[in-house]
Amino acid sequence: MTTSAPDTADLTLSVLDALPADAPAAPLTNALDILTNERRRHVLRVVGEQGETMTLPDVADEVAVRECGRPLPEIQPETVTETYISIYHDHLPRLVDANLLAYDQERDLVHPRFATDAVESSTN
């Protein structure tokens, strides 16, 4: 299941709005590079739509639902596990380094760090 262009544009704008107005080119380039990956966009949308702290397993569940286009009970547990591992080892560190999310590893919690207005409006 792919993301529609308007939703991606809205997400991109909300992420760019989170950058300081005088941000140098490197953070801007990094933010745009991060958004090239669909799974990272799903993670940002899930956390942004929630607008509050979520457990990483809950984020992975919702990302798997969006990627597969089916309810969670209809998705193979191995698929959800792979999604969790991919987010934990690859995508989450990039999103944290870009200051778009915060992660409390001890409690396995993900916190949003960007404006969610555009994310919420793109889902309505």
Side-chain angles (χ1 to χ4, degrees):
M1 174 174 260
T2 59
T3 306
S4 68
D7 288 347
T8 300
D10 290 340
L11 178 63
T12 301
L13 289 173
S14 77
V15 167
L16 294 177
D17 284 344
L19 295 174
D22 59 348
L28 175 61
T29 301
N30 188 36
L32 293 173
D33 181 53
I34 283 170
L35 294 172
T36 61
N37 183 276
E38 186 174 29
R39 183 165 282 172
R40 285 192 289 271
R41 291 192 307 267
H42 283 308
V43 170
L44 287 172
R45 273 197 194 87
V46 166
V47 176
E49 289 168 6
Q50 187 69 26
E52 59 186 42
T53 301
M54 296 179 71
T55 67
L56 187 54
D58 287 344
V59 173
D61 288 350
E62 183 59 30
V63 169
V65 165
R66 290 171 186 228
E67 288 179 349
C68 295
R70 295 189 310 264
L72 189 59
E74 295 178 15
I75 301 172
Q76 293 294 320
E78 297 82 16
T79 299
V80 177
T81 300
E82 184 279 328
T83 301
Y84 175 92
I85 290 169
S86 169
I87 292 169
Y88 179 79
H89 287 290
D90 182 23
H91 305 294
L92 185 61
R94 294 172 193 245
L95 294 167
V96 169
D97 287 347
N99 206 32
L100 297 172
L101 298 177
Y103 180 59
D104 178 348
Q105 186 172 13
E106 198 170 294
R107 295 178 18 207
D108 210 16
L109 297 174
V110 179
H111 315 275
R113 283 195 164 166
F114 64 99
T116 59
D117 297 342
V119 175
E120 291 169 0
S121 67
S122 72
T123 60
N124 294 334

